[in-house]
């Protein structure tokens, strides 16, 4: 079965109302090490036909070898994009849900710092829980969209941009702690990663507040 192709159906309905569409998606929520990252994209109303970049999908459905190319195409396609980061230490300090909210606000602030006009914007947040509003006041309407990164092209763009950036960050951290093989597992719970934790203990980039020994293996 081929992956579901995202569309602009929801975005077009909002553009018909003259709404600016911001889409947010997270990567790294379930990792044992490294930051959580929120990708944010913004698209102002379009009146012309919009071609979705070839290969754009939820980042989990794009082969790793193609993700960087798709991310570059996605960044060129949207009006602007931004990333918001929350570190492992912040996750330990405030919990994953609050950290996601902090990262989302940082991503939205990044769009504004680029001079993006977002008056009247609606934020499409992938998932079924609004973690943005509890993290601080925002002038935007936040709408959660289940499977948003699968079905909404703007959210798929946010997903792949964030995924490529976080993966590159974890590869860059690998030389600091090569035993954990972050260049391969990107901080997620592979058998080798868990074996390294058992042998060497936790690194500063691990989420020390988590019950890492009980975390399910994802590879």
């Amino acid at each position: 079965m081929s992956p579901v192709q995202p569309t602009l159906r929801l975005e077009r309905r909002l553009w018909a109302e003259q709404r600016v569409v911001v889409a947010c998606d997270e990567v790294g929520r379930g990792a044992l090490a490294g930051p959580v990252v929120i990708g944010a994209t913004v698209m102002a109303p379009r009146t012309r036909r919009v071609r979705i970049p070839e290969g754009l999908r939820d980042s989990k459905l794009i082969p790793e070898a193609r993700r960087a190319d798709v991310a570059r195409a996605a960044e060129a396609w949207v009006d602007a994009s931004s990333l918001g980061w929350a570190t492992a230490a912040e996750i330990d300090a405030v919990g994953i849900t609050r950290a996601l909210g902090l990262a989302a606000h940082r991503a939205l602030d990044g769009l504004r710092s680029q001079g993006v006009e977002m008056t009247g914007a609606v934020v499409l947040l992938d998932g079924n829980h609004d973690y943005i509003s509890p993290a601080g006041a925002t002038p935007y309407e936040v709408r959660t969209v289940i499977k948003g990164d699968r079905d909404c092209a703007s959210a798929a763009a946010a997903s792949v941009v964030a995924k490529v950036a976080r993966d590159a960050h974890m590869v860059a951290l690998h030389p600091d702690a090569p035993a954990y093989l972050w260049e391969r597992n990107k901080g997620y719970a592979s058998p080798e990663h868990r074996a390294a934790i058992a042998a060497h203990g936790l690194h500063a980039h691990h989420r020390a507040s988590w019950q890492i020994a009980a975390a399910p293996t994802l590879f």
Side-chain angles (χ1 to χ4, degrees):
M1 181 181 295
S2 61
V4 174
Q5 296 186 4
T7 71
L8 287 167
R9 291 191 187 96
L10 178 54
E11 290 91 337
R12 287 194 180 99
R13 289 201 295 271
L14 294 168
W15 291 340
E17 302 170 9
Q18 293 301 301
R19 304 294 298 276
V20 174
V21 174
V22 178
C24 290
D25 191 26
E26 58 80 19
V27 294
R29 180 199 295 256
L32 305 183
V36 66
V37 182
I38 301 290
T41 62
V42 63
M43 299 181 76
R46 268 76 163 156
T47 56
R48 57 180 174 80
R49 181 174 178 81
V50 180
R51 179 185 290 273
I52 296 171
E54 182 178 357
L56 181 61
R57 303 283 189 278
D58 168 7
S59 63
K60 297 183 291 296
L61 303 178
I62 302 172
E64 184 172 1
R66 295 193 58 204
R67 282 187 198 133
D69 288 340
V70 175
R72 282 190 290 270
E75 287 182 287
W77 177 62
V78 298
D79 293 336
S81 63
S82 179
L83 298 171
W85 303 70
T87 66
E90 288 178 310
I91 294 169
D92 286 338
V94 302
I96 185 62
T97 301
R98 178 73 173 180
L100 286 167
L102 293 174
H105 276 267
R106 290 164 183 166
L108 295 172
D109 288 345
L111 292 175
R112 287 194 295 270
S113 71
Q114 296 175 47
V116 176
E117 175 55 58
M118 298 195 295
T119 302
V122 58
V123 177
L124 304 181
L125 178 61
D126 177 60
N128 62 2
H129 175 67
D130 173 13
Y131 48 74
I132 297 178
S133 300
T138 174
Y140 313 120
E141 175 191 355
V142 178
R143 294 190 190 182
T144 57
V145 183
I146 297 172
K147 300 294 185 182
D149 55 358
R150 184 195 69 180
D151 298 333
C152 297
S154 60
S159 171
V160 68
V161 169
K163 174 66 173 170
V164 168
R166 186 184 182 279
D167 281 0
H169 177 77
M170 295 307 299
V171 170
L173 290 181
H174 170 74
D176 293 339
Y180 301 102
L181 300 177
W182 290 334
E183 90 288 7
R184 287 167 50 183
N185 60 56
K186 310 304 189 292
Y188 288 92
S190 69
E192 294 83 3
H193 189 183
R194 294 183 65 176
I197 292 170
H200 303 285
L202 298 181
H203 189 274
H205 291 296
H206 280 109
R207 301 172 186 179
S209 61
W210 288 28
Q211 295 182 343
I212 286 179
T217 298
L218 300 181
F219 289 80

